Amino acid sequence: MRRTVLIIATGLLTAMLAAPAFAAGNDPAPDQPISCGNGIPGGVNCIATKSQIKEARSAFNRGRKLADRKQLEEAYSEFDNAARLVPQNPQFLTARELVKAKLVFNHVERGNVLLLENLRARAAEEFRAALDLDPENQFVQERFKEAVREEAADAPAVLPVQLADAGEIHIQPRDDRATFHFTGDVRSLFAQLAPAYGVTVQFDDSVQNRQVRFNVEDVDFFTALKLACEISKTMWAALDTRQLLVAADNPENHKQFDRMSLQTFTLPSHSTPQEASEVVNTLRVLFDLRFVSPGQTADTLEVRGPQPILKACSQLMEQLRNGRPQVGLDVRIFQISHQLTRNIGVHVPNAFNLYNIPAAALAGLAGQNIQQLINQLISSGGINQAGSSALSGLLAQLEGQQNSIFSQPLATFGGGLTFMGLSLDHLAAALSVNESWARSLEHMTLRADQGSDATFHVGERYPIQNASYAPIYNSPQISQVLGNQSYIAPFPSVSYEDIGLNMKVKPAVHGDGSVSLQLDIEVRSLTGQSNNGVPIMSNREYQASINLKDGEPAVVAGAISRTDSLALSGIPGLGFLPGLNQAMVNNTKEEDSDELMIVITPHILADINRITPEIWMSQN
């Protein structure tokens, strides 16, 4: 265990030596080295004299001899003296920390033994001695609390001492007004200004002795002090009610002399961790805060900084704590479909058919089947097998015409086997109109917070087959199932696509009462075509941002689809003559039109005070 303590002590010592070096590397303006005898004992930035180095070496040698004789307390005193005289020497610091670790271990070991013997008072003394050497040792702190716990329970109750709160130091000058006409250096300016209001002044070494001119009339103390600091590039801090310190106005002095306070804030209501991070980043950027950390409980934030900045943070957090404005969206979707089909004209006979009447009549004899007649002729030897196919085609053509040859007007000429017939086409007039209208209205009301997306879908989900399953390996069992038609195919893989209108809206309320909308609209439909069995879809998208007043409607999108077709049928030439093309030919006209219109009207439902007070920060 002693070896473990020595290893821990060595690690602590290494960290202590590395920390000043790291800090010195990041410090843009390190302090000027001073003598170790005139500065803080053990200061890293001091310069050791030759006599101090010699004295430290002697103390270190004495400490080594005492440590060899197991006189650890005397050895620790000598090593500590050597480390204070020459703090840059790592050998002195290492020896002191090793001996201190041994002393802490010995005190803790004796205290544990005494605690087992129920000698709590003596054990507490051992633990207290260990804490004097290493106050930050948590293990020793816990053992000390355990040793004094029972004694504290048996001790008589003592009334707590009421201590007055000293509060923050504020300068309290005389309530006078003064006039200054000064030309000189900075120190002389403050030396003349402070006594005029009953205040004394001290100067930091960072104040530069520059020449300034200062002319003001009839001003109070704080006004004169503010103007003097501005022209001399300095800052001030209160040391007492009648005493102040003047230092150069730079970040290092602000870190050192500004009064720092700690305050815990409750984060405003948020729905995502990103919103909480935005609040933290806002505080860091606006107020230039470096000490911002999460609180002990959820949704809390601890901020450390000057009191004026913390006051400004409180005002900002109070403004952010107001609930976000909510916007109601009144969405109306109008869709109109129109179809028109018109057929006007006269059908003039333009087709003539010439028939051989005996052959046509033979095809319709007694209604016999053509194939039966061919079979009888082949069996009797009337025709051979080779000519049966051509004869069958000819008779089939005649059979198809047997119902129309004698039902139409027929002109005959010739005789015998050349008895022929000429059929005339019919004369017809067409006059028809088919028209249909379809109107649909979709009315929706949505409610969304500022900065949150409101989405909705109007339409249907269309299934699209991705894969199907079929047996590829043939077996007797599969053949049997396929033969008796009892095979049930597995359900195919299907994906569903949204068909119709998809809309996403993100509202934002501005200070003048207007509402901006970020729109993302998508219209998808089937085209009626397919590629390898997969239907082809048409897709139309609309993305924009608009700004509307409260209750102002706007047509954010509209789509018109129109299809016109015109067909003419008749005798060539007549269709191109004006007037005759309307009476002597058939005119077929088709019109299809679809119109889509989307109207959005925003309404502010839950609003906040859009006029927020200004936040002012004082420099001191």
Short mmCIF file of all heavy atoms in Angstrom, two decimals, residues 1-6 98-112 126-127 130 133 137 139-140:
data_model
loop_
_atom_site.label_atom_id
_atom_site.label_comp_id
_atom_site.label_asym_id
_atom_site.label_seq_id
_atom_site.Cartn_x
_atom_site.Cartn_y
_atom_site.Cartn_z
N MET A 1 0.84 -1.23 0.00
CA MET A 1 0.00 0.00 0.00
C MET A 1 0.86 1.26 0.00
O MET A 1 0.50 2.29 -0.57
CB MET A 1 -0.93 -0.01 1.22
CG MET A 1 -1.89 1.16 1.28
SD MET A 1 -3.07 0.98 2.60
CE MET A 1 -4.02 2.46 2.36
N ARG A 2 2.04 1.15 0.68
CA ARG A 2 2.92 2.32 0.69
C ARG A 2 3.42 2.63 -0.72
O ARG A 2 3.55 3.78 -1.11
CB ARG A 2 4.11 2.07 1.62
CG ARG A 2 3.70 1.92 3.09
CD ARG A 2 4.91 1.74 3.98
NE ARG A 2 4.53 1.67 5.39
CZ ARG A 2 5.43 1.53 6.37
NH1 ARG A 2 6.73 1.46 6.10
NH2 ARG A 2 5.01 1.47 7.62
N ARG A 3 3.69 1.55 -1.45
CA ARG A 3 4.15 1.77 -2.82
C ARG A 3 3.08 2.45 -3.66
O ARG A 3 3.37 3.32 -4.47
CB ARG A 3 4.51 0.42 -3.46
CG ARG A 3 5.09 0.56 -4.86
CD ARG A 3 5.45 -0.80 -5.41
NE ARG A 3 6.01 -0.66 -6.74
CZ ARG A 3 6.38 -1.72 -7.48
NH1 ARG A 3 6.26 -2.95 -7.00
NH2 ARG A 3 6.87 -1.52 -8.68
N THR A 4 1.82 2.09 -3.43
CA THR A 4 0.72 2.74 -4.16
C THR A 4 0.62 4.22 -3.83
O THR A 4 0.43 5.08 -4.70
CB THR A 4 -0.62 2.05 -3.82
OG1 THR A 4 -0.49 0.66 -4.10
CG2 THR A 4 -1.76 2.64 -4.61
N VAL A 5 0.80 4.52 -2.53
CA VAL A 5 0.76 5.93 -2.11
C VAL A 5 1.90 6.72 -2.76
O VAL A 5 1.75 7.86 -3.20
CB VAL A 5 0.80 6.02 -0.59
CG1 VAL A 5 0.90 7.49 -0.16
CG2 VAL A 5 -0.44 5.38 0.00
N LEU A 6 3.08 6.09 -2.84
CA LEU A 6 4.22 6.79 -3.46
C LEU A 6 3.97 7.05 -4.94
O LEU A 6 4.30 8.11 -5.47
CB LEU A 6 5.48 5.94 -3.28
CG LEU A 6 5.99 5.78 -1.83
CD1 LEU A 6 7.20 4.87 -1.79
CD2 LEU A 6 6.31 7.13 -1.21
N LEU A 98 7.04 13.09 -1.62
CA LEU A 98 7.18 11.70 -1.21
C LEU A 98 7.11 11.57 0.31
O LEU A 98 6.44 10.67 0.84
CB LEU A 98 8.49 11.14 -1.74
CG LEU A 98 8.59 10.94 -3.26
CD1 LEU A 98 9.97 10.46 -3.67
CD2 LEU A 98 7.54 9.93 -3.73
N VAL A 99 7.80 12.45 1.01
CA VAL A 99 7.76 12.40 2.47
C VAL A 99 6.36 12.74 2.97
O VAL A 99 5.87 12.12 3.93
CB VAL A 99 8.83 13.34 3.06
CG1 VAL A 99 8.69 13.44 4.58
CG2 VAL A 99 10.22 12.85 2.69
N LYS A 100 5.70 13.69 2.33
CA LYS A 100 4.35 14.03 2.76
C LYS A 100 3.40 12.86 2.57
O LYS A 100 2.54 12.59 3.41
CB LYS A 100 3.85 15.25 1.94
CG LYS A 100 2.46 15.71 2.38
CD LYS A 100 2.04 16.98 1.68
CE LYS A 100 1.73 16.70 0.22
NZ LYS A 100 1.14 17.90 -0.43
N ALA A 101 3.56 12.10 1.45
CA ALA A 101 2.72 10.94 1.24
C ALA A 101 2.94 9.88 2.31
O ALA A 101 2.00 9.23 2.79
CB ALA A 101 2.98 10.36 -0.15
N LYS A 102 4.22 9.68 2.73
CA LYS A 102 4.49 8.72 3.79
C LYS A 102 3.86 9.15 5.11
O LYS A 102 3.31 8.33 5.86
CB LYS A 102 6.00 8.55 3.95
CG LYS A 102 6.68 7.89 2.76
CD LYS A 102 8.18 7.76 3.00
CE LYS A 102 8.88 7.12 1.80
NZ LYS A 102 10.35 7.00 2.01
N LEU A 103 3.96 10.45 5.42
CA LEU A 103 3.37 10.95 6.66
C LEU A 103 1.86 10.76 6.66
O LEU A 103 1.27 10.34 7.67
CB LEU A 103 3.73 12.42 6.84
CG LEU A 103 5.19 12.73 7.22
CD1 LEU A 103 5.45 14.24 7.20
CD2 LEU A 103 5.52 12.16 8.60
N VAL A 104 1.20 11.08 5.51
CA VAL A 104 -0.26 10.91 5.44
C VAL A 104 -0.63 9.44 5.62
O VAL A 104 -1.57 9.10 6.35
CB VAL A 104 -0.79 11.45 4.10
CG1 VAL A 104 -2.25 11.12 3.91
CG2 VAL A 104 -0.61 12.96 4.03
N PHE A 105 0.16 8.56 5.01
CA PHE A 105 -0.13 7.13 5.14
C PHE A 105 0.02 6.66 6.58
O PHE A 105 -0.80 5.89 7.11
CB PHE A 105 0.80 6.34 4.22
CG PHE A 105 0.65 4.86 4.34
CD1 PHE A 105 -0.40 4.21 3.73
CD2 PHE A 105 1.55 4.11 5.10
CE1 PHE A 105 -0.54 2.84 3.85
CE2 PHE A 105 1.41 2.76 5.22
CZ PHE A 105 0.36 2.10 4.60
N ASN A 106 1.07 7.12 7.26
CA ASN A 106 1.27 6.71 8.66
C ASN A 106 0.14 7.22 9.55
O ASN A 106 -0.35 6.49 10.43
CB ASN A 106 2.62 7.22 9.15
CG ASN A 106 3.78 6.55 8.44
OD1 ASN A 106 3.63 5.45 7.91
ND2 ASN A 106 4.94 7.22 8.39
N HIS A 107 -0.27 8.48 9.36
CA HIS A 107 -1.36 9.01 10.19
C HIS A 107 -2.65 8.24 9.95
O HIS A 107 -3.41 7.93 10.89
CB HIS A 107 -1.57 10.50 9.87
CG HIS A 107 -0.52 11.39 10.48
ND1 HIS A 107 -0.30 11.50 11.84
CD2 HIS A 107 0.38 12.24 9.89
CE1 HIS A 107 0.67 12.36 12.07
NE2 HIS A 107 1.11 12.83 10.89
N VAL A 108 -2.95 7.93 8.69
CA VAL A 108 -4.18 7.19 8.39
C VAL A 108 -4.13 5.78 8.97
O VAL A 108 -5.12 5.27 9.51
CB VAL A 108 -4.41 7.16 6.86
CG1 VAL A 108 -5.57 6.25 6.50
CG2 VAL A 108 -4.67 8.55 6.33
N GLU A 109 -2.94 5.15 8.89
CA GLU A 109 -2.83 3.78 9.41
C GLU A 109 -3.04 3.76 10.92
O GLU A 109 -3.75 2.91 11.46
CB GLU A 109 -1.47 3.22 9.03
CG GLU A 109 -1.32 1.73 9.33
CD GLU A 109 -0.01 1.19 8.83
OE1 GLU A 109 0.93 2.00 8.64
OE2 GLU A 109 0.10 -0.04 8.62
N ARG A 110 -2.44 4.71 11.63
CA ARG A 110 -2.63 4.77 13.09
C ARG A 110 -4.07 5.13 13.42
O ARG A 110 -4.65 4.61 14.38
CB ARG A 110 -1.66 5.79 13.68
CG ARG A 110 -0.21 5.33 13.69
CD ARG A 110 0.65 6.21 14.58
NE ARG A 110 0.71 7.57 14.11
CZ ARG A 110 1.67 8.03 13.28
NH1 ARG A 110 2.63 7.21 12.86
NH2 ARG A 110 1.66 9.29 12.90
N GLY A 111 -4.68 6.02 12.62
CA GLY A 111 -6.06 6.37 12.90
C GLY A 111 -7.01 5.19 12.69
O GLY A 111 -7.97 5.02 13.47
N ASN A 112 -6.75 4.34 11.71
CA ASN A 112 -7.61 3.18 11.50
C ASN A 112 -7.50 2.20 12.67
O ASN A 112 -8.51 1.61 13.11
CB ASN A 112 -7.21 2.48 10.19
CG ASN A 112 -7.61 3.31 8.98
OD1 ASN A 112 -8.55 4.10 9.02
ND2 ASN A 112 -6.88 3.12 7.88
N GLU A 126 -5.41 11.83 14.59
CA GLU A 126 -4.55 11.33 13.53
C GLU A 126 -5.08 11.73 12.15
O GLU A 126 -4.31 12.16 11.28
CB GLU A 126 -4.43 9.82 13.64
CG GLU A 126 -3.71 9.32 14.90
CD GLU A 126 -2.24 9.67 14.91
OE1 GLU A 126 -1.69 9.93 13.83
OE2 GLU A 126 -1.64 9.70 15.97
N PHE A 127 -6.37 11.57 11.98
CA PHE A 127 -6.95 11.96 10.68
C PHE A 127 -6.84 13.46 10.42
O PHE A 127 -6.63 13.90 9.29
CB PHE A 127 -8.41 11.52 10.60
CG PHE A 127 -8.59 10.02 10.57
CD1 PHE A 127 -9.59 9.41 11.30
CD2 PHE A 127 -7.74 9.22 9.83
CE1 PHE A 127 -9.75 8.04 11.27
CE2 PHE A 127 -7.89 7.85 9.79
CZ PHE A 127 -8.89 7.25 10.52
N ALA A 130 -3.43 14.20 9.25
CA ALA A 130 -3.27 13.85 7.83
C ALA A 130 -3.92 14.89 6.92
O ALA A 130 -3.39 15.22 5.85
CB ALA A 130 -3.88 12.47 7.56
N LEU A 133 -1.80 17.93 6.29
CA LEU A 133 -0.81 17.75 5.25
C LEU A 133 -1.43 17.68 3.86
O LEU A 133 -0.87 18.19 2.88
CB LEU A 133 -0.01 16.46 5.51
CG LEU A 133 0.87 16.46 6.77
CD1 LEU A 133 1.44 15.07 7.00
CD2 LEU A 133 1.99 17.47 6.65
N ASN A 137 -7.54 15.29 0.28
CA ASN A 137 -7.65 13.82 0.27
C ASN A 137 -9.04 13.42 0.73
O ASN A 137 -9.40 13.57 1.91
CB ASN A 137 -6.58 13.21 1.20
CG ASN A 137 -6.41 11.73 0.95
OD1 ASN A 137 -7.39 11.00 0.78
ND2 ASN A 137 -5.16 11.28 0.96
N PHE A 139 -10.43 10.42 0.90
CA PHE A 139 -10.47 9.24 1.77
C PHE A 139 -10.24 9.64 3.23
O PHE A 139 -10.95 9.19 4.16
CB PHE A 139 -9.42 8.23 1.32
CG PHE A 139 -9.32 7.03 2.21
CD1 PHE A 139 -10.28 6.02 2.16
CD2 PHE A 139 -8.29 6.89 3.13
CE1 PHE A 139 -10.21 4.92 2.99
CE2 PHE A 139 -8.20 5.80 3.97
CZ PHE A 139 -9.16 4.80 3.90
N VAL A 140 -9.28 10.51 3.46
CA VAL A 140 -9.01 10.96 4.83
C VAL A 140 -10.19 11.77 5.36
O VAL A 140 -10.55 11.67 6.55
CB VAL A 140 -7.71 11.77 4.85
CG1 VAL A 140 -7.41 12.26 6.26
CG2 VAL A 140 -6.54 10.93 4.35
#
